[in-house]
C-alpha cells in the first residue's frame, strides 16, 4: 500500500507565494482517488480518536465510496470506537423512503453505517417522506445547532459546482431547504438509478450557510468529469452561480483533487500543488 506525504513543507519562496494567494493554500493534488481515500480516512480516524463525540457532516456520491471503504477497513482493524459520534448527512431525495434502495439513507447504510458500531440514534439524514418538508427542513437545521454544529464536513461537488444539492443560484445565506434539481444534476445522478427508476425531481439539502458554518471542510473531487468545474472554480470570483466558490471564504477548508480532476488547472500550479506518493 502506498502512503502519501506532503511534498510541500514549503520552500520559503513558495510559502510567500501561497500566503499571497490564499486560494492556493486550499488545493492539494493527489495521484489518484485511492491516495485521497487514504488521506481522508486517516484524517477521519485521527479526528474521531481525538474527539470521540465529534459531529461529522457526511456526503454521498461516487466520490465518497472509496473513502468510506478505506475508512471502514482501517476503523475495523484499529477497533475504532465510533459510538459517540454524531453525523448529519447533507441531503436526501424527496419522495424516497429511508428503506428505498436509491435513497441516500440506503447509500449510507451500504457504504458506512452497517459496517461499524455507530449509535443509530445519532445518525441524522433528512427524511424524504416528511409530510411537511419545509417544517422538516427547519427542524433539521435546529437539530444541527442543538448538536453544536458540524466539526468536520465532507463534501463532493457536482459537475455544475453544487455542494449538497445547492444548485447554481442558491443564496449563500440559505439554510436547510427543499430544492428542485437541475436537469444536469438529474442526468449526472441517473447512473445510480439504473433500469426504469427515475431520478427524483427534488431533494432536501443542508443550506449553504450551514455548510459554511462547519468548523472545518474537506471537499473531494476526482475524475476528469470534475476537471472543467475545478478550472472554473479556480478562475472565478466567489459567486452564487458556482456554489462551491463560496469555500474561498472559509478559513479551514481543504480541496483534495486527483490528477484527473486537476488536469485543466494551469500547469505550473499543478506542479506546485502535487502531493507525492511515497
Ligand atoms: C450528488 C450529491 C452531492 C455530491 C454530488 C457529486 O448530487 N448530492 O453531495 O457531491 O452528487 O457526486 P459524485 O461524487 O457521484 O460525482
Amino acid at each position: 500500500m502506498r502512503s502519501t506525504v506532503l511534498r510541500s513543507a514549503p520552500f520559503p519562496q513558495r510559502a510567500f507565494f501561497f500566503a499571497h494567494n490564499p486560494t492556493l493554500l486550499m488545493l492539494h493534488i493527489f495521484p489518484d482517488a485511492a491516495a485521497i481515500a487514504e488521506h481522508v480516512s486517516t484524517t477521519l480516524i485521527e479526528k474521531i480518536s481525538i474527539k470521540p463525540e465529534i459531529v461529522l457532516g457526511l456526503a454521498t456520491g461516487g466520490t465518497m465510496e472509496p473513502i468510506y471503504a478505506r475508512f471502514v477497513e482501517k476503523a475495523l482493524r484499529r477497533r475504532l470506537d465510533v459510538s459517540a459520534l454524531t453525523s448529519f448527512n447533507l441531503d436526501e431525495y424527496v419522495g424516497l423512503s429511508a428503506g428505498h434502495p436509491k435513497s441516500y439513507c440506503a447509500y449510507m447504510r451500504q457504504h458506512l453505517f452497517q459496517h461499524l458500531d455507530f449509535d443509530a440514534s445519532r445518525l441524522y439524514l433528512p427524511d424524504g417522506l416528511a409530510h411537511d418538508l419545509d417544517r422538516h427542513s427547519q427542524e433539521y437545521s435546529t437539530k444541527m445547532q442543538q448538536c453544536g454544529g458540524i466539526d468536520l464536513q465532507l463534501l463532493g461537488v457536482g459537475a455544475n459546482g453544487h455542494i449538497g444539492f445547492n444548485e447554481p443560484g442558491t443564496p449563500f445565506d440559505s439554510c436547510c431547504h427543499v430544492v428542485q434539481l437541475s436537469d444536469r444534476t438529474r442526468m449526472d445522478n441517473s447512473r445510480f438509478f439504473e433500469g426504469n427508476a427515475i431520478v427524483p425531481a427534488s431533494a432536501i439539502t443542508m443550506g449553504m450557510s450551514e455548510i459554511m458554518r462547519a468548523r472545518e471542510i474537506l471537499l473531494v473531487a476526482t475524475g476528469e468529469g470534475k476537471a472543467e468545474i475545478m478550472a472554473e472554480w479556480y478562475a472565478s470570483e466567489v459567486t452564487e452561480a458556482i456554489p462551491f466558490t463560496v469555500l474561498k471564504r472559509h478559513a479551514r477548508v481543504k480541496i483534495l483533487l486527483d490528477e484527473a480532476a486537476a488536469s485543466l488547472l494551469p500547469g505550473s500550479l499543478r506542479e506546485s500543488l502535487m502531493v507525492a506518493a511515497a
Side-chain angles (χ1 to χ4, degrees):
M1 173 65 56
R2 291 189 310 174
S3 63
T4 57
V5 288
L6 211 53
R7 201 206 279 151
S8 69
F11 309 116
Q13 68 271 31
R14 267 188 63 195
F16 177 81
F17 175 59
F18 277 35
H20 283 71
N21 186 348
T23 296
L24 296 180
L25 288 170
M26 303 173 181
L27 289 169
H28 304 264
I29 305 175
F30 290 74
D32 52 30
I36 295 182
E38 195 58 41
H39 179 85
V40 177
S41 56
T42 299
T43 302
L44 285 171
I45 295 208
E46 282 171 6
K47 302 254 179 211
I48 297 167
S49 305
I50 292 167
K51 184 180 179 187
E53 69 287 358
I54 191 169
V55 180
L56 295 175
L58 297 178
T60 51
T63 311
M64 293 297 142
E65 290 179 19
I67 293 172
Y68 292 144
R70 192 72 187 110
F71 171 72
V72 166
E73 257 176 62
K74 289 203 245 183
L76 285 172
R77 208 171 53 221
R78 288 164 200 230
R79 303 198 178 156
L80 181 72
D81 183 1
V82 294
S83 62
L85 72 75
T86 297
S87 71
F88 286 90
N89 262 79
L90 280 167
D91 43 22
E92 181 58 283
Y93 290 110
V94 167
L96 301 193
S97 68
H100 189 289
K102 300 302 173 191
S103 68
Y104 281 157
C105 190
Y107 170 105
M108 291 309 299
R109 269 199 308 277
Q110 182 192 344
H111 295 287
L112 185 60
F113 295 159
Q114 70 178 3
H115 302 288
L116 300 170
D117 265 340
F118 291 100
D119 175 349
S121 69
R122 295 178 203 272
L123 307 176
Y124 296 96
L125 281 104
D127 176 2
L129 289 188
H131 177 64
D132 182 338
L133 291 167
D134 290 334
R135 182 158 164 207
H136 177 64
S137 301
Q138 277 170 20
E139 287 167 356
Y140 198 71
S141 287
T142 305
K143 192 74 205 170
M144 262 186 283
Q145 283 167 29
Q146 285 168 347
C147 290
I150 308 279
D151 289 309
L152 174 65
Q153 176 68 56
L154 293 185
L155 292 177
V157 62
N160 62 4
H162 72 239
I163 45 180
F165 266 135
N166 292 286
E167 296 281 31
T170 306
F172 285 154
D173 62 0
S174 58
C175 294
C176 186
H177 64 287
V178 178
V179 57
Q180 297 304 308
L181 299 177
S182 68
D183 291 346
R184 173 71 199 261
T185 297
R186 293 180 76 201
M187 197 181 72
D188 286 346
N189 288 0
S190 63
R191 69 190 195 281
F192 297 111
F193 287 75
E194 71 282 350
N196 291 324
I198 290 175
V199 183
S202 55
I204 307 181
T205 183
M206 214 184 262
M208 296 297 284
S209 69
E210 284 143 346
I211 292 174
M212 284 297 280
R213 274 203 293 273
R215 287 181 268 285
E216 194 175 347
I217 297 178
L218 286 181
L219 180 140
V220 180
T222 53
E224 59 186 22
K226 301 291 165 67
E228 250 174 62
I229 196 64
M230 279 315 310
E232 278 182 50
W233 177 88
Y234 179 68
S236 175
E237 306 267 289
V238 174
T239 165
E240 289 175 355
I242 308 175
F244 79 132
T245 55
V246 76
L247 299 182
K248 293 182 180 189
R249 291 187 182 153
H250 196 284
R252 289 189 74 195
V253 59
K254 274 190 189 173
I255 298 190
L256 312 178
L257 308 176
D258 67 357
E259 288 185 12
S263 59
L264 297 179
L265 294 176
S268 54
L269 175 71
R270 289 207 312 271
E271 188 85 345
S272 61
L273 296 174
M274 207 75 118
V275 175

